[in-house]
Amino acid sequence: MSGHGAPKTEIVDATGLRVVVVAGTWHEVITEGLISGAERVLTASGADYTVVRVAGSFELPVTAKTALEAGADAVIALGVIIRGGTPHFEFVSAAATDGLTRVALDTGKPVGFGVLTLDDEQQGIDRAGFDGSREDKGAEAADAALRTALTLRALRG
């Protein structure tokens, strides 16, 4: 699993930060696990947040950009893409990843990356923060977005 070597983190004080969680609707069980993990971190940190649902991972970048341009301090993008028998997986994975990177760079605001690219559903279950899961990628994406937003705020004075 990719979680080996992950840093141990504590909840940060993100009081006053406005965060939007943008989540796809594909693979609902896994996506709900990701959202729950993000919400746990956001609630514990004191951040003000809303959850917005979009059709799928391809729609994450444009929605994330709109949320940041509308005043959000950070976005957490959550999606699930499972490999199939066609090149569609590669196209959607690349579009979501490249698009979210561009959004962060173009807006100068953080995008927590919680898009799972998987070979099968079990890999998603293992990474979605359920009881018995090895990782909690929704929580990790939220933590990364909050820490980056606070760092950027401090750098900007």
Side-chain angles (χ1 to χ4, degrees):
M1 285 271 115
S2 62
H4 297 298
K8 299 287 185 201
T9 60
E10 295 180 16
I11 296 296
V12 297
D13 181 0
T15 304
L17 286 183
R18 293 177 39 214
V19 180
V20 176
V21 178
V22 182
T25 56
W26 283 81
H27 308 289
E28 188 70 20
V29 171
I30 298 168
T31 301
E32 287 301 322
L34 295 172
I35 292 170
S36 293
E39 288 181 320
R40 279 192 306 277
V41 169
L42 293 168
T43 298
S45 75
D48 179 32
Y49 73 92
T50 57
V51 177
V52 176
R53 300 303 292 265
V54 297
S57 295
F58 189 83
E59 291 76 25
L60 293 172
V62 69
T63 308
K65 185 172 191 257
T66 301
L68 293 169
E69 289 175 341
D73 296 302
V75 163
I76 300 159
L78 305 175
V80 179
I81 309 167
I82 299 179
R83 187 180 308 278
T86 69
H88 183 74
F89 171 87
E90 284 80 10
F91 299 141
V92 174
S93 297
T97 303
D98 295 346
L100 291 168
T101 300
R102 182 174 160 198
V103 167
L105 294 172
D106 288 353
T107 63
K109 294 181 180 182
V111 176
F113 189 80
V115 179
L116 302 184
T117 54
L118 311 167
D119 290 320
D120 56 50
E121 189 171 338
Q122 186 59 51
Q123 287 179 340
I125 299 295
D126 289 342
R127 298 171 76 194
F130 298 116
D131 288 339
S133 292
R134 296 180 201 159
E135 299 175 277
D136 190 344
K137 292 301 185 184
E140 290 177 21
D143 181 71
L146 294 177
R147 288 176 186 281
T148 305
L150 293 170
T151 298
L152 294 175
R153 179 181 280 177
L155 288 170
R156 292 177 177 134

